[in-house]
Amino acid sequence: MLLFQPLIGLLLISLAHGDYCPISFSPLDVVAEYGASFSVNCSVNSITHQFGLSWERFNNTMEDSEEISRIVDKVTDWEMNVTCYMHSNETQCSQDLPITIYKTPDSVSISTVNHNGPMMEGELYELQCDVHNVAPVQDLTVNWYKGQTLLNQTTFTEASKTPVNKTATLLIRPDRADDGAQYRCEAELDLGAEGPPNSTESALNSEVYYKPQHSSSTETIIKDDKVMLDCTVKANPAPTYTWRSDHLEEKISSSELKSSALSPGNYTCTATNALGRDSKVFIVKDSRCPVQIIPWRAVVRYGDNVSADCKTSVLHKGMGWEASEGGVPMTKNQSLITWRVSELTEWDIKPFCYINYKIGDKDQCKEELPVTVYKTPDSVFISVNHSGPMMEGELYELQCDVHNVAPVQNLTVNWYKGQTLLNQTTFTEASETPVNKTATLLIRPDRADDGAQYRCEAELDLGAEGPQPHPTISSNPLGITVYFAPQIQFCSDWSPLTETSLDSYPSNLHSVEGKPRPDISWRHKSSPVSSSMPLTRYDSGLYEIIARNDLSNVSCSMNITVEYPPELNCDKSYEVKEKTLFKLPCIADGLPKPECFLYKNGKMIQHDFYPNWNDSGWYQLTAHNQRGTSNSTFTINILYAPVFYDSQEKFVVGEDSNITLECYSTGNPEPEVWWSFNNRNISTGRRHINIERATSTSAGVYTCSATNKFGRSDKTFIVEIKGLGYVFPYYILILLGVFVLFVVIILLVVLMWRRRKSRGHYEIQSEMQPLSNGGPK
Ligand SMILES: *[C@@H]1O[C@H](CO)[C@@H](O)[C@H](O)[C@H]1NC(C)=O
Ligand SMILES: *[C@@H]1O[C@H](CO)[C@@H](O)[C@H](O)[C@H]1NC(C)=O
Ligand SMILES: *[C@@H]1O[C@H](CO)[C@@H](O)[C@H](O)[C@H]1NC(C)=O
Ligand SMILES: *[C@@H]1O[C@H](CO)[C@@H](O)[C@H](O)[C@H]1NC(C)=O
Ligand SMILES: *[C@@H]1O[C@H](CO)[C@@H](O)[C@H](O)[C@H]1NC(C)=O
Ligand SMILES: *[C@@H]1O[C@H](CO)[C@@H](O)[C@H](O)[C@H]1NC(C)=O
Ligand SMILES: *[C@@H]1O[C@H](CO)[C@@H](O)[C@H](O)[C@H]1NC(C)=O
Ligand SMILES: *[C@@H]1O[C@H](CO)[C@@H](O)[C@H](O)[C@H]1NC(C)=O
């Protein structure tokens, strides 16, 4: 679409150009007021042949004229269109008359938004200009003026042919210079050169309130008949004036004072209106009196001694001190005289030194010594408007009574909480004689203030000439008790040892704050539980602690895991086949889950292991967690197939000898043992056989067999009898020998085969050991 816009534009231009319509209007465009009349001529610029002109429509009267006229008596249609048509034998076209129908506003009114009466200096106000019934709004401009100064202009972005009401606003922040200024708003329709100049306006006279403010805060005045102390200052509302000075007895409310009627010194004038006040100090000076007073100011404790020198360097006709006490009569020929009082008991002593010396038209001048007489308070006492404990967050008033102190204008009451200065109170009135004063302080104590000590301190700051450090008197401390709602400081999961009670919940006592001391209760599985009940291992779970006092209650939940030492549940003995995995057989209970250690003969071994046939015996199992250790001993009985120990296997003896064949075997369970000779059972259940007085029939192969449920083992013994050579012919001996050799080879093969088969399972002990090595059954 965006792409097409320029194309369409081009097309329109070329069309307009190609179909150029040679119509023109006089005037070129019409600006008409609604309800008024206007006339317009339509003409053809270039000469074409065979043409006609008409207004509005083709079927309207066609005039065969170069110019036609149209008069509209009264414009009543805001959307009015006026079109002129032309057609000749060559072309046919039309042209719209550009027409603007306007209406001046019915009214324009200026006002302040949400405000009546005088404005305050420095505040923000909104002016509003309401323009009623104006068209077209796009040609409207609202001009804002202060006096003749254009402040701003407001225009409107929307467009409308029909009349609308419009409101424009302007923010202003008036100052004192704007008091009495006139604000105007002007609605102007800018209708181009054709339109009539047109504006309607409304004005608003502003009144601005502002406080008095002198251009300078001090002024030095030399006493003179013509000079006035002029305190006049502009302000709205008009200010009132008050004067203060040590030299003024009565109240003066005029804005001016005549300087010649005043004594040297400071005169402070304050101009006040509803918005504020401003003071100006006039320093009234005489032409200088040639004396110097040292010190220039005296500060003395009531009842103490005081002195001051009056010095001059000029020749004079006499000088002296005048005072209600300690005055010095006029003396001549002296350049230094001293005023001295050994025990000053007058509060408002005003000594001055005079000198008879001509200045201007006067024969005498004087210089005053300002004396400040002070007295530290008799007592300072703190109290509170409340008895009993305070509640956190509530407001209380502390009161500090200072008895018999002077001068009060130099008094400051300092408020302390502990060592912290909280606030200071000063007093506006002035008094030279001692007064009783009360200062107050509002406090809103919180829990941290429980037990806090408040005190007030009266301090006299008498200036650089006064005592240093400043004399201070402190009250006794006032301790306060603050009641506050419970607060649970520590609330996290807990793992106590079994048999512990909830009362030992970490810092149960100290983690729950509150005053009065909150009651603590517990809930578990939505029912109350006694905090003194010992917890058992089955009591783990979610618990709620509730702290309650007169002010409120709070609660908090935590997981409690009851821990307990390991417990072993082992049998007295276990049986296991050799070389099969022996796993820890006991149930090891405990929280946290215990670690287990297995010991044999005091040596720690792996608790899952493959036992050898000789590993039977006592074992100790130790289970350990943070909560304790538990031991248990048991026997492990290793079951294994019969095994033979090494022993003599070949016996060569003479005839009639006695032979004992021993069959050393072991096995668990104890194997069943029997002997066979030449494949015939000869003895059962015995481990050894005795061959008494051996004969040739005794020679041969004896076999010892051992069996239990895990297997069977055989061991062969060979018995040879010597001295049989002369009974048998030589060849028989050889045949027998060959035969025996053959049998032995076969037996050896069998034996080798058996040995090979059992290798890796067990080894045969070479020492002679008791047969009971198999251990208990
Ligand atoms: C319109 O035409 C008439 C007659 O030709 C003439 O009198 C009049 O002045 C013209 N008006 C304007 C505004 O040109
Ligand atoms: C229009 O009329 C004029 C004068 O009669 C003539 O010269 C011209 O050719 C005509 N044009 C057309 C398109 O008929
Ligand atoms: C005029 O008013 C507009 C809108 O309130 C403001 O942005 C602009 O700064 C003002 N111009 C002047 C000269 O005060
Ligand atoms: C001191 O007290 C005055 C009067 O009660 C109060 O206006 C002021 O805020 C206080 N100042 C402080 C620091 O609390
Ligand atoms: C100050 O208080 C004391 C004791 O209450 C009283 O005797 C004394 O007259 C009071 N002084 C003044 C100046 O009010
Ligand atoms: C137990 O037998 C194995 C091999 O069978 C041997 O290595 C080990 O030394 C024997 N242990 C004891 C204590 O006799
Ligand atoms: C358990 O056995 C370990 C290691 O032999 C020992 O230190 C501990 O004292 C024993 N504990 C008990 C309760 O028998
Ligand atoms: C020899 O005795 C054993 C045990 O009593 C028996 O199992 C076996 O069968 C007997 N052998 C013969 C050949 O009688």
Side-chain angles (χ1 to χ4, degrees), residues 392-582:
E392 181 178 39
E394 306 259 302
L395 210 56
Y396 297 91
E397 191 178 74
L398 299 182
Q399 182 173 318
C400 187
D401 294 306
V402 182
H403 281 279
N404 220 10
V405 64
V408 67
Q409 58 269 35
N410 293 73
L411 174 67
T412 305
V413 172
N414 299 320
W415 294 95
Y416 286 94
K417 181 171 79 181
Q419 297 304 311
T420 314
L421 179 65
L422 293 179
N423 208 330
Q424 298 186 304
T425 310
T426 54
F427 302 89
T428 45
E429 75 269 41
S431 166
E432 275 152 1
T433 52
V435 290
N436 295 336
K437 275 283 136 191
T438 297
T440 59
L441 179 75
L442 288 176
I443 59 165
R444 198 184 290 281
D446 64 19
R447 57 190 58 206
D449 296 329
D450 182 39
Q453 305 258 318
Y454 285 86
R455 68 186 172 89
C456 64
E457 184 187 80
E459 177 181 356
L460 281 174
D461 179 358
L462 298 154
E465 295 76 25
Q468 307 293 342
H470 302 155
T472 56
I473 308 261
S474 179
S475 72
N476 285 328
L478 172 81
I480 64 162
T481 303
V482 182
Y483 275 6
F484 53 95
Q487 194 175 16
I488 300 173
Q489 309 277 43
F490 176 91
C491 182
S492 54
D493 293 350
W494 184 44
S495 304
L497 182 61
T498 177
E499 299 306 309
T500 310
S501 73
L502 291 169
D503 282 333
S504 345
Y505 179 67
S507 341
N508 194 344
L509 272 156
H510 305 291
S511 87
V512 180
E513 286 189 347
K515 200 156 186 175
R517 184 97 215 119
D519 286 334
I520 294 163
S521 58
W522 289 86
R523 290 176 72 80
H524 176 47
K525 291 180 177 163
S526 61
S527 44
V529 288
S530 155
S531 64
S532 59
M533 276 273 288
L535 294 168
T536 71
R537 66 180 67 172
Y538 310 107
D539 291 333
S540 293
L542 191 66
Y543 283 74
E544 189 184 21
I545 182 170
I546 302 140
R548 186 192 311 267
N549 71 5
D550 298 348
L551 281 82
S552 162
N553 63 23
V554 293
S555 74
C556 143
S557 297
M558 86 283 298
N559 276 312
I560 293 182
T561 310
V562 182
E563 295 187 346
Y564 51 95
E567 275 179 15
L568 285 171
N569 188 354
C570 303
D571 289 347
K572 278 219 156 63
S573 66
Y574 297 94
E575 282 193 338
V576 62
K577 193 160 176 272
E578 66 163 342
K579 295 184 170 50
T580 55
L581 184 64
F582 178 80

Side-chain angles (χ1 to χ4, degrees), residues 688-739:
H688 58 95
I689 48 170
N690 293 318
I691 303 167
E692 284 165 11
R693 280 187 281 114
T695 62
S696 58
T697 52
S698 305
V701 177
Y702 292 82
T703 303
C704 173
S705 302
T707 181
N708 65 14
K709 62 178 167 182
F710 297 107
R712 169 177 168 163
S713 290
D714 292 322
K715 182 168 175 148
T716 51
F717 298 85
I718 295 165
V719 176
E720 285 175 14
I721 310 294
K722 287 188 286 188
L724 294 178
Y726 63 94
V727 178
F728 295 102
Y730 185 61
Y731 66 94
I732 287 173
L733 241 171
I734 289 171
L735 278 177
L736 198 74
V738 168
F739 175 76

